[in-house]
Amino acid sequence: MAWRSRLSYIGWRHLSIFSNPSPSNWTKVVSDAEKIVGYPTSFMSLRCLLSDELSNVAMHVRKLVGTKHPLLNTARGFVYDSRNNLQMRGLIVLLMSKAAGPCPSTSDPIHDSMVSGIYPSQRNLAEITELIHTAFLVHRGIVNLKEWTNSDGPLKDMQFGNKMAVLSGDFLLANACTGLAQLNDTKVVELISSAIGDVVQGIYHESSTSAEEGSLTVASWEDQTFLSHGALLAKSCQAAMKLARHGNEAQNLAFLYGKHLALGHKLNSDLQPFVKSGSEPAVFSLDSAPVVFHRQIVGPERWRHQLKQVQNMARQIDYTKLRGLIKTERGVSQALDLCSYHGNKALEAMKCFPSSEARSALENMACAVTKF
Amino acid sequence: MAVPWSRCWRSGAGTAVLLDWCRGFSTRAFKVSGRRTPCSTAAPQPATARMKVLLRQGPVFNFNRPMTIARHRDRCLYTTPRVGCSICNDAKLKDPFSLAQKDLQNLYEDIKKQLLVSKAELKALCDYYFDGKGKAFRPMIVILMARACNVHSNKEGVLLPAQRSIAMISEMIHTASLVHDDVIDDSGTRRGKNTINKVWGERKAILAGDFILSVASMALARIGNNTVVSVLSQVIEDLVRGEFMQLGSKENENERFKHYLEKTFKKTASLIANSCKAVSILVNSDPEVHEIAYQYGRNVGIAFQLVDDILDFTSCANLLGKPSAADLKLGLATGPVLFACQQFPELHAMIMRRFSSDGDVDRAWQYVLKSDGVEQTNYLAQHYCQEAIRQIRRLRPSTERDALIQLTELVLRRDK
C-alpha cells in the first residue's frame, strides 16, 4: 500500500517534470528562443548518447518493459519530450550568455572564440547543466526494495532497474565532472559542484517528508524547491557570466534570473491540475505548492480530517474530491500570486542587461511562466 | 605434442597480455613472434612454471620498447644517492601506517566537517562510513607519496595543505563509490556494519553517495589547480566505466584477461594512481616525477585488487567483512577463476553464464581451489608490486619512499 501511493507519486512527478505549463504559449516561446542561440539545441552531447555505456543501458532497459520500474518512465520522457523542457536549462544558460555579451575587457584572449555571440566554454556549460539535470531525473527514480511487495512484480526486475538507474545516472554525472574540469576554471567547478550538492539535498528532502503528516510550511517549501529545482539553473547562469569574465553584478543578476524563473516554472506546473478546466482526472503531489499553501491555511487538524474525507476503504485518495476541497480555500490563489511574484522578479533581473533578442527571449520565458 | 598447439598458444597469450599490462603498454607484435618457440619445442610445463619462465626472460620485460627509453626509464631521477639508505636497513625502516599516522590524525573528523548539510538524517548517512574504522589505505599512500615527492623536490619535512586535501578527497571518492556499489550489488554488510541501503533504503543511499561526491568535487576545486581537478575527475569517469565493464563478459580468453585487468585498473587503481599523481603535481613540475607517482599508484592499486580477489577465495567469511566467494555469487570471474579456466576449460561455460545455474558457484569454487589460480594470481600481484618498487626507487631516498616500498609487502601479505 505504501508502495502504491509512492508509485503514483513517482508517476505524477515525472508528469510534472516533462509536461509543459500552458503548452502552446510555452512551446512557442521556447522554439523562438532556440533560434537565437545559433544552432538547434542538442545539449545531451552525442558523445554521451553514442557511448558504449549508454547504448548498453538502452539495451538493458528494454528488459524492463512491462515492469513498473520508474527508469522506464524517465527513459520514455527523453524520447517524447526531448524537444522542449528537457533542454530548457541549457537553453536558458545559452540565452543568458548571449544576453550578457562578450567579455568586458576586449584585450582578453578569449574574445575571438565566440560563435553566435556565445563562447564555446558557455556552450559546454549548458551541456553540463543538462547532464546534471538528467542524471538526477534518473537517480530520483531509484526504488526502495524494502517497500516492494510481491504483488508489484518480481523483485529481480526492480533490482535490475535500480542497477541500470544507478549506473546511467553515475555515468552522466561523471561526464559532467570531466566536462567541468575541461572548463579550466576552478571557481566554476566549485560553483557547479555546490549546485549538485544543493540538488541532492532538495531531492533528499522530497523523499523524506511524509506527505500525510508533513510539517512543510510555505517558507520551507520555497527553500526546498529552490534546492531541488532552482539551484542548478541559478548557479549555471551565474557560472556562464563567470566564464565570460563578467563582474559580480552581472553574475548576481544572472543567478537571480535563474532562481526566480525556476521557482516560477515549478509553481506553474504545480498549479496546472488546479487551473485547468475540464474533466480529466486530477493527480497531484501532496507536496505541490497549492496543497502546501492550503495545508497552512486550514491547519494540521482540519487537513487530516479532510484527507480522511477523500480516502476510500483502501486508503486511496480521490484526487478530484480533494481538489474540490482545496479550491474552496485560498491556497490556489496564493500559489498564483507567488508564481507572478517570481516571474516578475525574473523580469526585473533582466532589466540591467542591454536590450537584445536574447534578453527578450528570456523576458518572454519569464512572462510565460505566469500565464495559464 | 602432448598439448594441442592452440591451447598452448591461448594460455600463453593470456599471460603475455598480463605482462603487457604489468608494464603499462600493450603490443601484438611480440606475442606472435615470440610465443611459438617455447610452446612448440618444450614439453608442456605446469602453468605456473610456464609463467615464471616468461617472467624471468629478460626480453619479455623490454621486448617492445626501444632500449633507450628503457634505460632512460630505469635511470634514477636523483644524482647523488645517499649511502646506506637501502630498504634492507631495518633501523631506518618505519611501518607505513605509523609513519603516515601523524598526518592522518583527524582525517575523518575533517571529512565530516566538510560534509555540511542542514538535514540531520542526510548528515548521518554521509558520516556513516567515516567512522574511523576504515583502513584509510588510500589516504596513507597519498600522504607517503606526497612527502616522498616533497623530499625529492627539496621540500623535506613539509606537507602542503593541498596535498592533505587530496588525501581526504581520495577517501571521499572511494567511499562514495562504495555506497553506490553496495546498491548495485545489493550488498547487506560492509566493514561489519549493515550497508546504508539496508538501513535507509536504496534511494537515499544513492543520494548520499552523490552528495559525498559533490562535496569532494568542491574541496577539489578549492585547491585551485586546474590540472589537479582534471586528474581527479578522470578517476570518477574511470570508476563508472569500470562498473560498466563488470556487466559484460568476453567470450575470448585473451580479451577476458585484458578486460579483467582494465576493469581492475579503472575500479581500483585509477583512484590511487591519479591521487598520487595529483600530490606530485602540487609540488613538482617535472612530468617524469608525475609519471613515477602515477605508475607507482597504478601498479600498487592493481596488486591490491588482485590480492582482494584472491582473498575472496581464501579468507574466512568474517575476516574481510564480506562473505567469501562474493564475486562468484555476483557472477564475476576474477583472476583466480580466469587462471583456473586455463587448466579446467569446463569453467568457460560457467564464466559465460555468470555462474547463474544451480551449483555453479560451488563447482567453480572447487575448480579454483584445485587449480593453481590463486597461486598464479598471487604471482601476478607480486609482479605488479615489483614494478611499483622499480618506479618509486627512481625518487630520491626518504623514509617515506622506503615506506612505500615496504607497503607493497603489506599489500601482498595482508589477510583482510
Side-chain angles (χ1 to χ4, degrees):
Chain A
M1 178 51 226
W3 169 254
R4 220 167 272 289
S5 61
R6 162 116 309 178
L7 189 73
S8 64
Y9 171 57
I10 290 169
W12 170 83
R13 199 173 44 230
H14 281 276
L15 265 173
S16 106
I17 284 164
F18 292 113
S19 71
N20 297 331
S22 47
S24 58
N25 193 3
W26 181 259
T27 311
K28 189 174 179 323
V29 171
V30 168
S31 66
D32 287 350
E34 280 183 333
K35 288 170 200 144
I36 296 170
V37 293
Y39 38 85
T41 52
S42 173
F43 307 111
M44 292 283 287
S45 77
L46 279 175
R47 187 190 62 223
C48 239
L49 281 177
L50 298 179
S51 66
D52 287 352
E53 281 80 4
L54 281 198
S55 17
N56 206 337
V57 169
M59 200 184 73
H60 285 301
V61 165
R62 252 188 262 153
K63 290 185 208 159
L64 289 175
V65 173
T67 72
K68 291 177 186 165
H69 201 283
L71 180 60
L72 263 186
N73 255 328
T74 313
R76 239 174 241 142
F78 296 153
V79 181
Y80 293 128
D81 278 307
S82 59
R83 280 294 298 156
N84 301 313
N85 281 333
L86 192 68
Q87 301 178 349
M88 178 193 85
R89 287 145 203 89
L91 177 63
I92 290 172
V93 171
L94 291 186
L95 288 171
M96 186 61 80
S97 304
K98 187 159 184 174
C103 145
S105 119
T106 43
S107 59
D108 204 293
I110 70 168
H111 205 69
D112 328 319
S113 54
M114 272 189 154
V115 178
S116 312
I118 298 162
Y119 291 109
S121 60
Q122 292 172 319
R123 287 193 189 271
N124 291 341
L125 175 70
E127 187 177 303
I128 291 164
T129 307
E130 284 301 333
L131 286 177
I132 296 170
H133 174 71
T134 314
F136 283 108
L137 285 185
V138 174
H139 275 180
R140 261 182 165 112
I142 304 276
V143 169
N144 281 332
L145 298 176
K146 252 192 217 158
E147 294 165 20
W148 194 253
T149 61
N150 284 336
S151 59
D152 292 313
L155 183 68
K156 249 183 108 179
D157 289 345
M158 287 302 118
Q159 281 173 332
F160 185 74
N162 270 357
K163 193 169 170 169
M164 288 300 116
V166 174
L167 281 175
S168 40
D170 283 353
F171 181 76
L172 295 171
L173 274 183
N175 274 278
C177 282
T178 41
L180 274 177
Q182 281 161 17
L183 293 177
N184 269 325
D185 184 327
T186 55
K187 289 276 178 227
V188 169
V189 176
E190 190 180 346
L191 191 61
I192 302 297
S193 303
S194 78
I196 296 177
D198 292 343
V199 176
V200 175
Q201 292 189 64
I203 300 177
Y204 192 92
H205 213 99
E206 231 168 50
S207 56
S208 59
T209 39
S210 153
E212 272 90 18
E213 49 214 79
S215 54
L216 204 59
T217 64
V218 172
S220 67
W221 180 89
E222 265 197 295
D223 290 347
Q224 187 196 310
T225 307
F226 170 69
L227 291 176
S228 58
H229 289 77
L232 179 61
L233 186 60
K235 289 182 175 176
S236 292
C237 286
Q238 183 185 350
M241 299 299 99
K242 238 181 163 73
L243 286 173
R245 326 258 162 94
H246 289 294
N248 285 337
E249 202 193 342
Q251 286 180 33
N252 191 31
L253 290 171
F255 176 94
L256 287 176
Y257 177 85
K259 172 186 164 169
H260 290 297
L261 185 88
L263 286 173
H265 185 258
K266 175 75 168 84
L267 280 157
N268 186 305
S269 54
D270 277 11
L271 276 161
Q272 288 302 316
F274 297 89
V275 294
K276 260 186 256 165
S277 48
S279 54
E280 46 197 300
V283 187
F284 47 86
S285 157
L286 298 183
D287 285 329
S288 70
V291 186
V292 173
F293 282 61
H294 175 77
R295 261 149 59 182
Q296 210 175 11
I297 292 164
V298 299
E301 201 92 332
R302 251 184 82 200
W303 169 244
R304 255 194 302 277
H305 178 73
Q306 287 185 331
L307 259 188
K308 252 186 223 137
Q309 248 180 293
V310 299
Q311 273 169 350
N312 65 12
M313 301 281 273
R315 290 197 64 217
Q316 267 167 326
I317 294 172
D318 181 335
Y319 281 95
T320 314
K321 256 193 213 163
L322 183 60
R323 179 172 63 182
L325 281 177
I326 290 171
K327 274 182 158 178
T328 58
E329 294 285 346
R330 287 172 297 115
V332 175
S333 66
Q334 282 185 0
L336 280 166
D337 288 348
L338 191 62
C339 183
S340 351
Y341 167 80
H342 284 298
N344 288 331
K345 278 283 178 189
L347 272 178
E348 213 176 278
M350 288 316 295
K351 268 191 190 145
C352 297
F353 287 81
S355 74
S356 67
E357 272 185 312
R359 191 186 91 167
S360 318
L362 288 168
E363 284 168 344
N364 290 343
M365 287 174 113
C367 291
V369 298
T370 63
K371 302 263 160 57
F372 291 89
Chain B
M1 242 174 46
V3 174
W5 182 83
S6 65
R7 244 196 88 192
C8 202
W9 182 81
R10 269 170 59 215
S11 48
T15 317
V17 170
L18 300 183
L19 289 173
D20 282 358
W21 256 86
C22 193
R23 308 291 291 195
F25 35 70
S26 61
T27 140
R28 306 248 132 216
F30 177 82
K31 259 178 257 158
V32 182
S33 61
R35 181 82 353 74
R36 284 177 196 161
T37 346
C39 277
S40 51
T41 55
Q45 302 153 337
T48 316
R50 201 162 51 221
M51 184 162 157
K52 278 179 183 161
V53 169
L54 273 168
L55 291 175
R56 242 184 273 120
Q57 281 168 348
V60 176
F61 278 138
N62 294 319
F63 55 80
N64 60 343
R65 184 199 279 164
M67 277 315 278
T68 47
I69 296 181
R71 251 186 279 120
H72 181 64
R73 280 218 164 193
D74 281 289
R75 196 193 62 200
C76 281
L77 282 183
Y78 58 95
T79 42
T80 51
R82 281 174 238 165
V83 188
C85 218
S86 81
I87 46 156
C88 311
N89 190 338
D90 279 322
K92 275 219 152 190
L93 207 57
K94 276 186 89 178
D95 161 40
F97 282 93
S98 45
L99 189 59
Q101 186 56 44
K102 203 177 91 250
D103 295 321
L104 292 177
Q105 253 175 18
N106 302 326
L107 180 89
Y108 289 111
E109 287 311 308
D110 292 346
I111 290 177
K112 285 194 237 174
K113 271 185 218 152
Q114 301 260 328
L115 296 164
L116 290 172
V117 253
S118 49
K119 194 151 173 70
E121 192 189 66
L122 179 56
K123 177 80 180 134
L125 262 81
C126 291
D127 288 355
Y128 193 66
Y129 288 130
F130 299 115
D131 55 0
K133 298 212 176 82
K135 292 187 291 273
F137 177 71
R138 289 153 189 86
M140 175 186 63
I141 293 189
V142 172
I143 292 287
L144 293 175
M145 180 60 79
R147 284 190 176 271
C149 288
N150 294 356
V151 171
H152 187 84
S153 322
N154 298 316
K155 292 208 172 68
E156 191 153 2
V158 175
L159 180 73
L160 305 174
Q163 291 176 320
R164 190 168 183 278
S165 291
I166 299 286
M168 275 171 53
I169 292 163
S170 69
E171 186 69 3
M172 289 165 85
I173 294 178
H174 172 61
T175 306
S177 82
L178 288 184
V179 174
H180 281 199
D181 283 358
D182 284 343
V183 175
I184 291 170
D185 301 338
D186 199 21
S187 312
T189 53
R190 150 115 30 217
R191 294 180 189 161
K193 282 170 132 177
N194 288 325
T195 52
I196 291 188
N197 40 305
K198 289 298 160 197
V199 183
W200 286 283
E202 285 73 12
R203 230 170 106 74
K204 289 180 176 178
I206 291 306
L207 292 173
D210 288 344
F211 189 75
I212 295 170
L213 192 65
S214 75
V215 173
S217 177
M218 277 165 75
L220 181 61
R222 263 186 243 116
I223 291 175
N225 182 316
N226 284 319
T227 317
V228 167
V229 171
S230 292
V231 165
L232 282 180
S233 305
Q234 185 57 46
V235 174
I236 297 167
E237 199 180 309
D238 283 343
L239 283 169
V240 184
R241 286 189 192 270
E243 200 62 50
F244 268 102
M245 290 182 79
Q246 244 174 30
L247 291 178
S249 353
K250 296 276 179 221
E251 177 77 38
N252 176 296
E253 200 174 289
N254 261 337
E255 280 180 29
R256 209 184 274 155
F257 265 116
K258 217 176 128 220
H259 191 260
Y260 166 65
L261 286 171
E262 202 179 326
K263 182 215 81 186
T264 303
F265 168 73
K266 291 195 164 160
K267 279 206 69 182
T268 312
S270 173
L271 174 59
I272 302 174
N274 285 301
S275 308
C276 284
K277 186 174 174 182
V279 290
S280 75
I281 290 171
L282 285 166
V283 73
N284 196 310
S285 57
D286 180 0
E288 276 209 65
V289 175
H290 308 161
E291 185 63 12
I292 292 172
Y294 177 87
Q295 288 299 341
Y296 175 85
R298 177 178 170 278
N299 283 285
V300 164
I302 294 177
F304 182 86
Q305 187 57 48
L306 289 172
V307 172
D308 215 59
D309 293 344
I310 292 172
L311 289 174
D312 198 48
F313 285 94
T314 57
S315 131
C316 305
N318 33 18
L319 253 184
L320 203 60
K322 60 175 183 179
S324 287
D327 292 329
L328 284 181
K329 287 172 195 157
L330 289 170
L332 304 177
T334 56
V337 185
L338 296 182
F339 277 117
C341 185
Q342 296 185 337
Q343 279 170 279
F344 301 103
E346 299 89 322
L347 275 165
H348 178 79
M350 288 189 240
I351 293 175
M352 288 318 290
R353 61 175 182 256
R354 300 177 74 87
F355 314 105
S356 57
S357 296
D358 268 351
D360 273 0
V361 171
D362 278 336
R363 250 176 296 146
W365 164 283
Q366 290 303 328
Y367 276 126
V368 169
L369 295 188
K370 256 195 282 173
S371 74
D372 35 40
V374 165
E375 196 193 342
Q376 280 182 295
T377 310
N378 198 30
Y379 199 75
L380 189 63
Q382 282 176 29
H383 220 77
Y384 278 102
C385 282
Q386 279 164 20
E387 176 63 12
I389 293 172
R390 195 182 70 86
Q391 291 286 347
I392 197 72
R393 278 229 172 102
R394 296 164 64 208
L395 289 185
R396 191 179 293 173
S398 63
T399 343
E400 285 81 9
R401 187 198 77 166
D402 294 344
L404 284 171
I405 293 174
Q406 201 205 351
L407 183 82
T408 60
E409 277 296 301
L410 298 181
V411 164
L412 291 173
R413 257 193 269 135
R414 76 198 175 100
D415 53 9
K416 63 174 206 167

